[in-house]
Amino acid sequence: MGIFKRNGGVDPDGLDWCILQNGWISLYWRTTILDDDLKWFEKENYVIVQFNCRTWDSDKIMHSQFKEKFDFPDYYGKNLDALRDCLSDLNIIRRGLVVVFRHLDNIEKQTAHAILDIMADNARLQMLFGNRIITLAQVDDPDYEMDPVGQTSVIWNGSEWLDSRRVEE
């Protein structure tokens, strides 16, 4: 799946290409832009798994949702090391997997960074097998910044890349 082909030709203009050429993770502030992009991914036959980080009042809840939504085995250890291990065993179907974290800035930044780093590492690993994992992280703070993950910068999506696009109208 590694090559970007649509309609019989190479297509470097798709949203997946735009995100993956800069890393594996894209930040969003406006939910309307995120929702529009998710419609594109759905139309392109990606599996979409969404998390609402506002519900993560504890690590127990967070890991319970990871286990449920990723269909992890019963031996899932409910910690970040286990998340890394179990994600590496995911069976990526269809065109690829899009993982969405809504309200990511609701959790501690250190935890958010660790999760995104795990997602980036697994996206890179899966790409070796021709599989795609793309992570979309929506935050409520238009000035949110994240240190690089997987040795790659975490940047804003194409529609909100400019700071001026992330202000209340």
Side-chain angles (χ1 to χ4, degrees):
M1 179 62 72
I3 194 160
F4 285 81
K5 285 190 175 186
R6 287 184 187 81
N7 302 321
V10 176
D11 177 16
D13 295 322
L15 181 57
D16 45 6
W17 171 268
C18 291
I19 292 171
L20 289 172
Q21 71 177 337
N22 293 308
W24 297 272
I25 297 166
S26 188
L27 282 177
Y28 289 78
W29 175 55
R30 295 182 197 276
T31 58
T32 53
I33 294 172
L34 173 60
D35 292 340
D36 286 345
D37 285 359
L38 288 173
K39 288 176 189 170
W40 185 92
F41 281 110
E42 188 175 324
K43 183 177 98 2
E44 292 297 323
N45 203 26
Y46 277 83
V47 173
I48 299 170
V49 175
Q50 297 196 55
F51 297 94
N52 180 349
C53 299
R54 282 187 179 158
T55 67
W56 292 358
D57 294 333
S58 68
D59 286 354
K60 181 178 180 179
I61 292 170
M62 177 180 72
H63 287 291
S64 173
Q65 288 183 17
F66 284 148
K67 182 181 182 317
E68 174 191 341
K69 292 192 178 200
F70 287 129
D71 196 27
F72 286 159
D74 288 337
Y75 61 80
Y76 173 62
K78 298 178 183 132
N79 59 58
L80 294 177
D81 289 333
L83 176 64
R84 182 180 304 277
D85 291 343
C86 285
L87 281 173
S88 69
D89 291 334
L90 275 183
N91 182 23
I92 308 297
I93 59 172
R94 302 198 316 217
R95 178 152 280 183
L97 174 65
V98 174
V99 180
V100 181
F101 295 102
R102 292 182 184 267
H103 313 289
L104 184 68
D105 52 341
N106 189 69
I107 63 174
E108 290 182 21
K109 199 161 200 173
Q110 182 178 1
T111 302
H113 183 271
I115 291 168
L116 294 183
D117 194 57
I118 289 167
M119 296 306 301
D121 285 349
N122 275 281
R124 185 176 54 247
L125 174 68
Q126 289 287 347
M127 287 290 277
L128 294 173
F129 298 101
N131 299 320
R132 298 178 191 161
I133 297 178
I134 297 171
T135 302
L136 309 179
Q138 184 272 325
V139 293
D140 299 314
D141 177 359
D143 298 316
Y144 190 81
E145 292 183 15
M146 176 63 67
D147 290 335
V149 296
Q151 302 301 316
T152 304
S153 297
V154 177
I155 63 173
W156 288 95
N157 67 83
S159 296
E160 296 178 311
W161 188 78
L162 295 172
D163 290 346
S164 62
R165 298 278 179 103
R166 288 180 271 119
V167 295
E168 293 289 342
E169 294 176 0

